[in-house]
Amino acid sequence: MKRNLQRSMSSVMYEAIGSEESSFSEEQRAKINEVRASLGKLPDKLFLYSSDASLARYLTARNWNVKKATKMLNDTLKRRLEYKPEEIRWDEVAHEAETGKIYRSSYSDKYGRSILVMRPGCQNTKSTKGQIRYLVYCMENAILNLPPDQEQMVWVIDFQEFNLSNISLKVTKETADVLQNHYPERLALAILYNPPKFFEPFWMMAKPFLEPKTYKKVKFVYSDDNGTKKIMEDLFNVDELDCAFGGNNQVSFNIDDYAARMREDDKRMPLLWKRSNSSSSDKQLPATTPDVSLGKSASDSDEPEKEIDGQVRNN
């Protein structure tokens, strides 16, 4: 990420977690050490979870409550030992990816964050288990491709060709569970691009699955609304951004090219989990975790959001 990146944004300011190192307060440091001590000796494949950055994410997700953060982290560690997400490889999930329903873009946002493009209208399978396993693979791949000074990713959810048959509360609930309970503070922003009017009832049913912090990271963007389009312009390089989202990039998803990228990434995945890499992951986050979507601190979480941030527009 370039340090001289211009960050002048008129109505919406985006801040990147981890973009600049900042020391923890003494109290936060003590809580990080307390959680680390409670974990005991971790196996090599889980050692990254004892880093300052990892422990801080779980503590942040639970408002720095040591007991709650420790339970949350232990649940994740148990799940990883059973689910083995780091061992998922492209050939196992390739059939889920054929239509481009989820993929990591070849470019990052202006802050170096990985971007997962999701197109629920391109759903091609019926197995919830398979769909969630592919989502986990994509999450792990997005994390693998984060630069050293970043902890988070961006989701862009495209509603082109979306219809009622694509709606699944079960998949939505399980997606929320995976994201919030096992990848806390990994999501910087979720952009819902051109959601149709009939999505509104489903959104109202899905909102209870989302924690307040997650809900506030959801932004509704409409291609014919200059106010919300500004979000895309501020967040992405227009020349890199997919033309489907208002950018100038005419390159569309190609399964063969994407498969080649993923197989190369699969070769790098084992290196991420080597104990020797723990020091590179031991980054210090800002003492006050910013709300990356609007440049607000966590203390602002009770303030009301604009309608475009949490509601489907009346079309």
Side-chain angles (χ1 to χ4, degrees):
M1 184 175 63
K2 295 180 179 179
R3 294 297 182 186
N4 61 352
L5 180 67
Q6 296 297 317
R7 298 194 178 191
S8 56
M9 301 180 179
S10 56
S11 61
V12 180
M13 293 294 291
Y14 291 90
E15 254 182 273
I17 284 185
S19 60
E20 295 181 1
E21 290 191 358
S22 177
S23 298
F24 295 109
S25 68
E26 289 186 12
E27 181 181 5
Q28 289 173 328
R29 172 64 63 187
K31 290 184 176 183
I32 288 172
N33 290 334
E34 186 176 349
V35 175
R36 181 183 288 116
S38 71
L39 296 178
K41 181 177 175 59
L42 295 177
D44 286 355
K45 66 186 300 182
L46 298 177
F47 192 71
L48 284 177
Y49 279 87
S50 66
S51 71
D52 286 355
S54 180
L55 298 175
R57 284 196 303 273
Y58 281 81
L59 281 161
T60 299
R62 291 296 177 259
N63 295 315
W64 290 85
N65 181 300
V66 171
K67 183 177 180 179
K68 291 181 179 179
T70 301
K71 181 183 184 305
M72 184 185 194
L73 181 51
N74 278 325
D75 288 345
T76 291
L77 297 178
K78 179 181 178 181
R79 182 180 186 274
R80 291 193 73 92
L81 287 173
E82 296 171 349
Y83 199 80
K84 298 179 174 58
E86 75 284 354
E87 295 181 10
I88 305 174
R89 295 295 178 263
W90 171 255
D91 289 335
E92 177 188 342
V93 296
H95 65 286
E96 292 281 351
E98 290 175 352
T99 59
K101 65 184 179 186
I102 308 178
Y103 63 91
R104 180 178 60 80
S105 70
S106 59
Y107 54 89
S108 303
D109 75 354
K110 289 182 178 180
Y111 304 100
R113 297 179 292 208
S114 298
I115 302 165
L116 287 185
V117 176
M118 302 181 175
R119 292 191 159 109
C122 295
Q123 182 58 262
N124 63 327
T125 61
K126 297 184 180 300
S127 169
T128 299
K129 181 179 179 180
Q131 291 168 18
I132 294 300
R133 193 157 180 83
Y134 179 53
L135 171 66
V136 169
Y137 174 82
C138 292
M139 294 283 290
E140 295 284 319
N141 181 268
I143 294 168
L144 174 70
N145 284 279
L146 287 172
D149 60 352
Q150 269 297 347
E151 292 286 315
Q152 296 189 308
M153 67 188 74
V154 174
W155 290 4
V156 180
I157 305 171
D158 182 11
F159 282 85
Q160 185 176 5
E161 299 182 10
F162 181 81
N163 57 59
L164 290 173
S165 67
N166 301 130
I167 292 177
S168 171
L169 272 178
K170 182 178 181 181
V171 173
T172 300
K173 185 176 181 179
E174 292 200 25
T175 297
D177 175 71
V178 168
L179 174 66
Q180 295 175 149
N181 293 327
H182 302 298
Y183 295 91
E185 299 303 313
R186 284 298 193 183
L187 181 67
L189 196 68
I191 295 172
L192 275 59
Y193 196 82
N194 284 339
K197 176 63 178 175
F198 65 79
F199 178 72
E200 183 172 4
F202 172 74
W203 174 242
M204 297 305 294
M205 289 187 290
K207 282 198 318 185
F209 302 148
L210 303 180
E211 297 175 358
K213 285 183 179 181
T214 304
Y215 169 75
K216 291 180 181 297
K217 294 176 181 179
V218 177
K219 308 298 167 189
F220 286 72
V221 174
Y222 298 92
S223 57
D224 61 352
D225 184 327
N226 289 332
T228 59
K229 280 171 61 179
K230 185 70 166 60
I231 293 176
M232 305 297 283
E233 295 167 0
D234 288 343
L235 190 60
F236 304 106
N237 182 318
V238 177
D239 288 333
E240 295 178 336
L241 183 64
D242 191 323
C243 60
F245 306 125
N248 299 327
N249 187 350
Q250 300 293 324
V251 179
S252 58
F253 176 80
N254 179 286
I255 185 60
D256 294 327
D257 293 342
Y258 192 67
R261 284 174 56 200
M262 294 301 101
R263 288 193 176 102
E264 287 302 309
D265 283 352
D266 284 354
K267 296 175 184 177
R268 296 191 293 123
M269 183 61 75
L271 300 177
L272 178 66
W273 295 96
K274 283 191 174 181
R275 182 178 287 260
S276 59
N277 283 341
S278 63
S279 59
S280 64
S281 175
D282 199 16
K283 301 187 290 292
Q284 292 185 345
L285 305 183
T288 301
T289 303
D291 178 338
V292 292
S293 59
L294 294 173
K296 299 183 300 183
S297 69
S299 62
D300 297 322
S301 60
D302 292 332
E303 293 182 0
E305 293 285 330
K306 295 180 180 180
E307 287 190 358
I308 62 170
D309 297 334
Q311 297 179 10
V312 179
R313 182 185 63 176
N314 291 322
N315 291 327

